[in-house]
Each structure stands twice: as structure tokens, then as C-alpha cells.
Amino acid sequence: MRPSQTPRRRTLPAVLTTVLLAAAALLVPALPAAAHDELTGTDPASDAVLETLPEQITLSYSADVLTDAGATVIEVTDAAGTSLTDGVPEVSGSEVTQALAGPASGTVTVQWRVVSSDGHPIDGEFAFSVPESTPTPAPTPSATPSASATAAASEAASPAATTEVTIPLESDAPASPLPWILLVVALVIVAGVLVYVFASRGPRNTAGGGGAGR
């Protein structure tokens, strides 16, 4: 019986060792994944509805993220795809802050990528909403009247400008022919009277002269 028990005692440690190695092989690949950092919160929160675009957004992670150049990237765009980021993101321990600027319109999308404390990059996306901005209407050209338009309006509003009639002075008016006609008529009358007087005196003088001679 002793010879049969000896192989069993040697086989049991070998089986236990094989089981432990298999379990370790299954657990080792999962360890790095468990060590990755993760996003734990955002300000503003995902799917939040805000009155205006905030001055900045803050992303919080489960551990400090790396601060290597280009390791942290934050992209913020509005519904039209216009970028709203102002400068580069600032990393402080486990928090990343990104300043925002510009008018927002509708849904604002935030895409982020950081390098975890274990050296692996992680990324994600979330969104929030702000009211759509109403564009300010541009002033029309007629909103500011020009000097010529103002002068024309002033002339139209003045009654004297439309009813004024220029009357020529007597010195400028052409001379009337009536005085000359009256003068000619008077001369004709005077000439007729003179002719009549001289004609009537002639025969009398001749008759008187003949009687005296007799």
C-alpha cells in the first residue's frame, strides 16, 4: 500500500500548481483594465439644459491624469459644428478644465481624451444644451438718412417751398403799347384841328380883301 500512496502524493501538488497557474493567467489580463482611470463627473452634467453657455467646463476623473504635452484634448462644438473652446485645457490633478467662448446654438457636444495614470489613453463624449441664439438684424441703409435725403424731406415739409411764385417787377416787365397809341391818337386829333383852323381861315381872308378894294 505504501508504493500506491506515493504517486498520489506527488500528483496532488502538480494538479494544484496547474490550477493556480491557470487562474493567474485568467486574472492577469484583467488587471491593467481595472487600473485604467475613468470619468467620474462633469460640470455641467451630461444632458443638462442651461440658460447660457458657461465660461468653462470641468471634467473629473478617478485618479490624476498625465500632464504631458498633447495628452489631454478637449473639443467643444455647437449644433452647427462651430468650435467653442478658448485656449488649451488645464490639468490639475484629477480635474481638467476647458475655457469656452463664443455664441452657442442648440446642443453643445464635448469630446475628450486624456492619458490615464497607468499610461493608457481613455476618451469619451457627453453633451448639454443651451438656447439657440437669435441673430441681431443688421441695420438697413435707410435707417440713417443721408444729408441729401434730410434736405429733400425738409423742402417737402415746407409749404413755402411748393407754393412760392416769383412775380416780376414792373421794371422787368415789357412796356405796354397803350401809351404810344394814345399819343398817336392825340397827335392825329391835334393835326386835324390845325388843318381845320387853317382851312377855315383861308376863304375869309380872301373875301375880306376883295371888299376893301372895291
Side-chain angles (χ1 to χ4, degrees), residues 160-203:
T162 56
T163 59
E164 182 179 358
V165 177
T166 303
I167 301 176
L169 300 178
E170 293 181 359
S171 58
D172 296 335
S176 176
L178 182 60
W180 295 99
I181 294 174
L182 295 177
L183 180 59
V184 171
V185 171
L187 291 176
V188 171
I189 293 173
V190 172
V193 171
L194 293 175
V195 170
Y196 174 77
V197 171
F198 284 112
S200 61
R201 284 183 178 183

Side-chain angles (χ1 to χ4, degrees), residues 42-45 50 52-59 74 76 84-86 90 95-101 110 126 128:
T42 62
D43 183 18
L50 309 180
T52 59
L53 182 71
E55 296 182 355
Q56 64 181 22
I57 59 174
T58 302
L59 288 73
I74 306 293
V76 184
L84 302 175
T85 56
D86 184 14
E90 297 181 0
E95 290 188 349
V96 178
T97 303
Q98 174 64 61
L100 304 179
V110 181
F126 70 96
F128 59 92

Side-chain angles (χ1 to χ4, degrees), residues 1-14:
M1 294 181 65
R2 289 181 179 179
S4 61
Q5 291 178 352
T6 300
R8 293 180 180 178
R9 292 177 179 178
R10 293 178 179 178
T11 303
L12 183 59

Side-chain angles (χ1 to χ4, degrees), residues 205-214:
N205 291 336
T206 306
R214 290 177 182 179

